[in-house]
Amino acid sequence: MQDSVSRREFLGAASGVAAGATLGVPLTRNPGFPAIRIPQAAKNVAVASGNGLRGVELAGRLLIEGTDTLDAAIEGVKIQELDPNDQSVGYGGLPNEHGVVQLDSSCMHGPSRRAGAVGALEGIKTPSVVAKYVLLYTDHIMLVGEGAKQFALSYGFKEEDLLTDASRQRWLRWRANRGATDDWINVGDDERMVARETGTININTVNSRGDISSVTTTSGLSWKIPGRVGDSPIIGAGQYTDNDIGAAGSTGRGEANIKVCGAFLTVENMRRGMSPTDAALETLRRVVATTEARLLDDQGRPTFGLTFYAVNKNGDFGAATLWSGGQFAAFDGATAARHDTAFLYERR
Ligand code: ASP
């Protein structure tokens, strides 16, 4: 693959290793950071949101075959991006208020310490790959809207209508029913209105050499205001990788995550010595502390959902969410499985 990170970026990363950085025994380069030493993973691990079971299975297999960590993560999320039945990501994703699918994605490649992102991208099924092209071929981090689309088209990505019949149906029903006094006649009065469903996939990978990457991709909040960009394409919110420490990413209410730079904070919590699960729980406590009153219930708990997924350089992985009942997906070096997600509050 011409655009493979493994081809182009590992060479650069490898020369960095020769120049002093020691893979496996990370050196903290800034003396201000505590010198936590996380040993290198002896195994290939991928951790993802609950919809990523097929993704971590594929990513894990690719890691074992020696595929670069970012390439493996992107191959994993592409399964959801290309699946018309997943209405939360890529092709088939639920549209914005105007019926247009706008996609967000970002990625980070630990060994080369590079990042790429696209926001509000229309017409391209695989925003994660476009984000990788931003990482590979530009001196920038993020492209948005029409510019991101033109950038993708210049590399031969195909422009396609991303709205499947099923997603269009749901958008039309939402538009018809959103208000009693607008010009749209309501349909199916007894039908439960589908409102503001969200979805995303995040995959974080570490290979047996201790190299780490992360990617997050989404169609964002359904029925969002056109141009709204969530956390997924924001480096440090939707995902973050530090090749010395680990990677983390998120799904759920992006607005709550952006305010705490949640993926970055989770990696920083791991830098302070926390396990991936504890690091994610600690980030959620910050989210609660920064939530405005209108989004809290009478006991001060957020009324939305937000989940963080994390892996450290050792291959330990975990996830935490606000409300009980969630599951995440992981490849632990041998098998892919779903696991219960740690939580702050018991859902009754
Ligand atoms: N985090 C995504 C966003 O805010 C949505 C989601 O994960 O459900 O765009």
Side-chain angles (χ1 to χ4, degrees), residues 50-297:
N51 55 349
L53 188 60
R54 290 180 298 170
V56 293
E57 204 157 21
L58 176 59
R61 189 161 50 73
L62 290 172
L63 291 173
I64 288 169
E65 287 169 5
T67 301
D68 169 76
T69 48
L70 180 56
D71 288 336
I74 287 181
E75 286 309 311
V77 299
K78 270 169 62 185
I79 294 175
Q80 300 311 117
E81 287 182 330
L82 295 170
D83 183 351
N85 297 318
D86 187 329
Q87 294 187 316
S88 71
V89 176
Y91 179 50
L94 290 174
N96 66 20
E97 196 175 29
H98 293 172
V100 177
V101 179
Q102 289 187 324
L103 304 174
D104 297 336
S105 182
S106 64
C107 60
M108 285 185 84
H109 183 239
S112 61
R113 309 190 190 271
R114 293 173 74 169
V118 289
L121 173 66
E122 295 177 12
I124 309 291
K125 279 181 174 169
T126 52
S128 67
V129 186
V130 185
K132 187 176 87 172
Y133 273 51
V134 174
L135 176 155
L136 281 174
Y137 299 124
T138 79
D139 190 31
H140 305 315
I141 299 279
M142 182 189 266
L143 298 178
V144 302
E146 185 61 23
K149 179 158 86 179
Q150 291 307 325
F151 170 81
L153 295 178
S154 76
Y155 285 96
F157 285 80
K158 296 235 166 357
E159 186 171 2
E160 294 169 81
D161 184 359
L162 302 187
L163 199 60
T164 57
D165 282 350
S167 291
R168 182 183 295 279
Q169 278 302 323
R170 289 185 60 181
W171 169 65
L172 289 173
R173 193 177 318 119
W174 167 78
R175 189 175 67 175
N177 286 344
R178 70 179 158 174
T181 56
D182 64 17
D183 292 338
W184 303 102
I185 296 172
N186 286 9
V187 295
D189 278 350
D190 51 345
E191 207 166 324
R192 197 170 149 265
M193 214 171 117
V194 183
R196 301 191 76 78
E197 294 198 2
T198 65
T200 301
I201 179 166
N202 159 243
I203 296 186
N204 311 289
T205 51
V206 57
N207 66 16
S208 55
R209 288 185 296 274
D211 282 331
I212 308 166
S213 288
S214 51
V215 61
T216 298
T217 178
T218 189
S219 51
L221 288 182
S222 56
W223 334 137
K224 61 193 172 188
I225 296 174
R228 178 265 187 188
V229 167
D231 58 331
S232 305
I234 308 292
I235 306 297
Q239 54 74 45
Y240 191 76
T241 291
D242 182 323
N243 212 49
D244 291 345
I245 304 296
S250 175
T251 62
R253 182 179 160 81
E255 283 75 4
N257 179 19
I258 291 170
K259 287 195 296 180
V260 303
C261 304
F264 176 77
L265 184 57
T266 303
V267 171
E268 290 305 292
N269 289 338
M270 291 193 287
R271 188 193 305 278
R272 294 194 287 135
M274 290 184 194
S275 72
T277 304
D278 287 346
L281 283 167
E282 186 64 13
T283 298
L284 288 167
R285 288 187 196 101
R286 185 77 67 87
V287 168
V288 176
T290 57
T291 297
E292 53 256 52
R294 71 186 169 89
L295 296 171
L296 296 173
D297 68 11

Side-chain angles (χ1 to χ4, degrees), residues 304-318:
F304 52 82
L306 186 61
T307 307
F308 290 95
Y309 315 89
V311 65
N312 67 18
K313 198 170 178 72
N314 193 32
D316 305 322
F317 58 85

